[in-house]
Amino acid sequence: MSGPNGEPSVTAGLEEEEVMPEEEYAALNLMLDQINSCLDNLEEKNDTLNAKLHELLESNRQVRMEFRQQQIDATAPTDSQDRST
């Protein structure tokens, strides 16, 4: 028999002679498999997002370094400027 959310109802105090019916075990097992599958999908998505984040951070780091180098190159006096003064 199912509970209000479709989950099998499990009596906390089952007597030794009372056994959970096979169909309830099967339903519980199916739900656990579905939960496990969802968790696997979430873990895979998390790993993918984490990898993309690391790529983005590395790309950002490279762009910042290039930008700083451009600023240094733009503000540094060139040899021709030194000779003309």
Side-chain angles (χ1 to χ4, degrees), residues 5-85:
N5 295 325
E7 66 274 336
S9 59
V10 179
T11 307
L14 288 177
E15 307 259 340
E16 283 186 38
E17 62 271 357
E18 293 182 59
V19 178
M20 185 186 264
E22 281 295 317
E23 60 196 26
E24 288 187 19
Y25 276 118
L28 184 59
N29 204 17
L30 177 63
M31 278 190 252
L32 290 172
D33 286 344
Q34 290 171 340
I35 291 170
N36 192 38
S37 177
C38 288
L39 289 173
D40 287 343
N41 288 336
L42 283 173
E43 185 176 8
E44 185 178 330
K45 287 180 181 182
N46 185 46
D47 291 345
T48 301
L49 286 173
N50 195 24
K52 287 182 180 182
L53 177 61
H54 282 285
E55 288 175 17
L56 179 62
L57 288 171
E58 184 58 34
S59 172
N60 238 358
R61 188 175 293 122
Q62 291 294 328
V63 168
R64 279 194 328 256
M65 287 173 53
E66 291 171 10
F67 182 72
R68 284 184 191 140
Q69 189 60 46
Q70 287 175 354
Q71 286 179 322
I72 290 169
D73 292 346
T75 58
T78 61
D79 288 338
S80 63
Q81 288 176 340
D82 289 342
R83 292 181 191 147
S84 64
T85 54

